[in-house]
Amino acid sequence: MRNRRRNTADSRLSGQQREKGIDGMNWEENVRRVVPYTPGEQPKKTDVIKLNTNESPYPPAPGVAEALSALDTEKFRLYPAFPEQTELAAALAARYHIGTDQIFIGVGSDDVLSMAFLTFFHSGRPVFFPDITYSFYDVWADVYGIPYERKALDADFQICPADYCQPNGGVIFPNPNAPTGVLMPLDKVEAIVAANRDVVVIVDEAYIDFGGTSALPLIEKYDNLLVVQTFSKSRSMAGMRIGYAMGQPQLIRYLNDVKYSVNSYTMNTAALELGAVAVRDEDYFKACCKKIMETRAVAEERLSALGFVFQKSFANFIFASHKTMPARNIFERLRENDIYVRWWDKERIDNYLRITIGTDGQMESLYRALGKILG
């Protein structure tokens, strides 16, 4: 009865009291406000050439479709298994020759990286990452109240390892970097890890399969190194949302402790089963990566002939600037022709386009459109 009386009394609050609250505060004053990450545009039309979000132009491994058709939907009424206890974890462990206790699986690498920020960047000192990089890093830092410093890339978009050899609360960078596609040699990656043994260093390898050398072997030497990869690019499964981190078992235990304090069942049953099938088809995986790299090599020649300049890319995209026409103009003209690429209105990169490598046919359509636009 007392609760009912209190609710009745609350309902009699004046409009002014409800707006400001009994203590004179407005509820919006307590809202955590951040500038959110802006993903690449997802056009509603389907008859477009979509080269703006670095998705694979090829389907998943053939066995994925077969496994999907045979999937036992009776399992959907049950909670999924913990990821580290699944066939997916076993498949990844076998593929990378590590233990299942060295693997953390999440809902895409964004989920994995978000959990890593929340878990490891807790010292109160600033986390270091490049000024031109994956634009989710500062969003996570803002959401979790983590101080950070952006370290400027040099004129060639290279990371300067010396900039990361100062006291900090953690280090994260993509390799190859995004959106530049520039690869840091493994010896420089190791130099950064070795200089920061008192914090966790995260190497975000979303694009490593397109010609780079992974830092994964270094996890046996450095217990503070976390290597993060994804199924969204080279494994053609962006829609399934599978990402994973690899490191020493202690790092993985800490990640799981935080994850299971937020949500114990983040991965769905279908993703866990189909992901395992994709990992086991190594031949298809290598063939797709090889095809994308071959198409990228042709794109470098064709774009250069059209007047574009760019650094050598080791990703499934090219980050290019035109010698005479502003990037924004090209971006808008391509969009009018139903060809989508990525452009940012940001300092230092506002005259660059990030062009995802598509099929050979899609790229030919791009070259033809660019030829008319640049005419």
Side-chain angles (χ1 to χ4, degrees), residues 106-134:
V107 187
S109 59
D110 286 344
D111 176 48
V112 174
L113 290 166
S114 176
M115 288 295 101
F117 266 68
L118 189 58
T119 304
F120 300 120
F121 298 158
H122 190 56
S123 71
R125 293 180 295 177
V127 172
F128 291 171
F129 48 79
D131 64 334
I132 301 172
T133 194
Y134 187 31

Side-chain angles (χ1 to χ4, degrees), residues 256-278:
N256 277 320
D257 286 348
V258 171
K259 173 186 177 180
Y260 294 140
S261 298
V262 175
N263 185 350
S264 296
Y265 299 106
T266 55
M267 298 297 297
N268 69 72
T269 297
L272 290 168
E273 295 195 13
L274 300 180
V277 174

Side-chain angles (χ1 to χ4, degrees), residues 10 25 33 42 67 69 128 141 150 155 188 195 217 221 235 256 266 316 322 328 347 365 371:
D10 289 346
M25 298 286 288
R33 300 189 188 189
Q42 297 288 359
S69 65
F128 291 171
R150 299 184 181 98
K188 292 187 177 181
K221 185 176 179 181
R235 295 196 182 275
N256 277 320
T266 55
N316 66 337
H322 196 263
R328 181 170 187 168
E347 186 178 0
S365 296

Side-chain angles (χ1 to χ4, degrees), residues 13 96 141 163 188 223 255-256 259 340 348 352:
L13 290 173
Y96 292 107
D163 292 343
K188 292 187 177 181
D223 62 358
L255 269 173
N256 277 320
K259 173 186 177 180
Y340 289 75
R348 292 193 69 188
Y352 285 81

Side-chain angles (χ1 to χ4, degrees), residues 128-336:
F128 291 171
F129 48 79
D131 64 334
I132 301 172
T133 194
Y134 187 31
S135 51
F136 227 140
Y137 295 163
D138 56 355
V139 174
W140 287 318
D142 287 338
V143 167
Y144 298 135
I146 301 167
Y148 60 90
E149 290 182 16
R150 299 184 181 98
K151 299 297 182 179
L153 301 182
D154 68 17
D156 295 322
F157 292 151
Q158 299 279 347
I159 289 174
C160 304
D163 292 343
Y164 296 83
C165 300
Q166 307 162 16
N168 62 73
V171 174
I172 182 169
F173 56 87
N175 196 40
N177 197 7
T180 65
V182 173
L183 181 74
M184 188 192 308
L186 190 57
D187 61 332
K188 292 187 177 181
V189 173
E190 183 171 7
I192 292 175
V193 180
N196 290 280
R197 296 304 302 270
D198 60 333
V199 299
V200 172
V201 177
I202 302 173
V203 182
D204 181 356
E205 294 187 341
Y207 302 100
I208 199 65
D209 296 321
F210 301 107
T213 300
S214 174
L216 181 61
L218 298 178
I219 68 172
E220 299 304 322
K221 185 176 179 181
Y222 298 97
D223 62 358
N224 63 318
L225 172 63
L226 193 72
V227 176
V228 178
Q229 296 188 12
T230 179
F231 280 55
S232 296
K233 318 300 180 186
S234 55
R235 295 196 182 275
S236 308
M237 296 182 75
M240 291 305 296
R241 311 307 301 130
I242 306 171
Y244 53 103
M246 297 172 285
Q248 284 296 308
Q250 187 175 9
L251 282 180
I252 303 305
R253 284 197 299 271
Y254 285 137
L255 269 173
N256 277 320
D257 286 348
V258 171
K259 173 186 177 180
Y260 294 140
S261 298
V262 175
N263 185 350
S264 296
Y265 299 106
T266 55
M267 298 297 297
N268 69 72
T269 297
L272 290 168
E273 295 195 13
L274 300 180
V277 174
V279 172
R280 292 190 179 107
D281 196 337
E282 186 73 9
D283 290 342
Y284 183 82
F285 163 74
K286 289 180 177 178
C288 283
C289 290
K290 182 175 183 288
K291 181 61 177 174
I292 289 169
M293 288 188 285
E294 290 172 345
T295 304
R296 183 183 66 198
V298 173
E300 290 170 346
E301 296 178 3
R302 299 290 293 273
L303 291 173
S304 292
L306 287 164
F308 286 92
V309 292
F310 42 84
Q311 297 294 325
K312 172 65 179 175
S313 175
F314 286 84
N316 66 337
F317 59 81
I318 293 174
F319 192 59
S321 177
H322 196 263
K323 294 177 182 178
T324 59
M325 184 173 287
R328 181 170 187 168
N329 292 5
I330 300 172
F331 166 77
E332 292 174 345
R333 293 284 301 279
L334 284 173
R335 194 174 184 277
E336 291 169 1

